[in-house]
Amino acid sequence: MEKYKEIQWIGYPGEARDASSYLAEFLLLDGKYIQVFKEFDIIVPQSREIYYNRVCDTPLKRRSSVKRADLVVITDHRLIPYAASYIPGRHGTSYIVGSTLPPDQNKYKLGFGENAREYENSDQPELFQTVNLEPGQFGETSRAGRIVTFYLPLIAAVARKLGNYSPESLVLGLHKWLSRHIEPEPAGAAVKVLETNLSPPVQPPQESLE
């Protein structure tokens, strides 16, 4: 039986598509097998989009839709009221949320009804993690700047959730991936900055992909 992880990306138009594709590039360079596909089973407003990744260490045969993602990545904290359809911890689901708010303001209510509760980074970090997205040395308007300041932190956070990467192997892998999109020297500098600012990974006990 295939053992795989499923990631749901929820973002504004273009964000979920690009993020799921960039994650696929990163993991392919690491020898993983990965699928990228759009949400087709539900109606998604034109101002939002949903994409998925399915990741495995062996060739993937499964072609069905995703019923319950292992990891939900919300690219912008303003989308949480629309996106928080899963209850953290149930069936192993955890969240990563991209935010431009100050760290002390990153508190969000996830889940519905009596199961809804407020989460923040210090509260059950294995279930909920905020990734602070800030303009970097490249600015936000250029393609390279968007990749460095927006997609790179999200890809790094997802990679740390998915695999047992050492800090060294994660930096090398991110640099290899980022060098496909911008010049190697600034790519290395960007990854180093990311390495300095990322907190140590916190992962729930889980089986490795086989």
Side-chain angles (χ1 to χ4, degrees):
M1 186 175 180
E2 287 183 307
K3 293 184 179 180
Y4 50 81
K5 296 292 182 183
E6 294 174 324
I7 304 105
Q8 181 187 55
W9 294 88
I10 302 173
Y12 292 112
E15 291 180 352
R17 177 200 63 204
D18 290 348
S20 60
S21 297
Y22 288 143
L23 178 66
E25 284 185 5
F26 171 81
L27 293 173
L28 284 169
L29 291 170
D30 194 39
K32 298 290 190 294
Y33 294 85
I34 187 163
Q35 295 173 349
V36 182
F37 51 97
K38 190 176 183 179
E39 173 62 74
F40 291 106
D41 286 352
I42 62 175
I43 298 175
V44 180
Q46 290 185 348
S47 59
R48 313 282 189 270
E49 70 177 10
I50 299 176
Y51 272 75
Y52 296 94
N53 292 122
R54 185 175 284 127
V55 186
C56 190
D57 283 338
T58 58
L60 280 159
K61 300 177 181 178
R62 190 175 180 86
R63 294 293 184 270
S64 65
S65 60
V66 174
K67 302 302 182 185
R68 176 72 65 175
D70 299 289
L71 176 62
V72 179
V73 187
I74 304 171
T75 62
D76 191 303
H77 64 275
R78 291 169 293 186
L79 289 171
I80 282 184
Y82 165 79
S85 57
Y86 299 160
I87 298 170
R90 183 169 293 180
H91 304 294
T93 299
S94 58
Y95 279 86
I96 291 176
V97 178
S99 174
T100 54
L101 293 174
D104 61 352
Q105 295 183 28
N106 285 319
K107 299 179 181 180
Y108 307 109
K109 183 168 286 189
L110 303 175
F112 288 109
E114 61 183 24
N115 291 311
R117 59 165 296 178
E118 193 171 76
Y119 287 82
E120 56 182 309
N121 273 0
S122 60
D123 179 18
Q124 292 186 281
E126 74 279 4
L127 299 181
F128 176 81
Q129 176 187 352
T130 300
V131 177
N132 291 312
L133 306 175
E134 300 177 358
Q137 60 179 315
F138 299 93
E140 290 190 326
T141 56
S142 68
R143 178 173 175 271
R146 183 70 169 163
I147 291 173
V148 168
T149 62
F150 184 81
Y151 293 108
L152 175 60
L154 290 173
I155 297 304
V158 173
R160 289 154 69 92
K161 281 282 189 181
L162 288 178
N164 296 317
Y165 291 97
S166 68
E168 295 78 13
S169 64
L170 181 60
V171 168
L172 288 173
L174 289 171
H175 182 263
K176 186 176 181 181
W177 164 71
L178 196 57
S179 296
R180 296 165 61 94
H181 298 281
I182 65 177
E183 293 298 319
E185 186 172 342
V191 172
K192 282 294 184 183
V193 171
L194 180 66
E195 178 190 23
T196 302
N197 289 289
L198 277 176
S199 59
V202 180
Q203 296 184 353
Q206 58 183 342
E207 294 180 347
S208 60
L209 297 176
E210 295 178 356

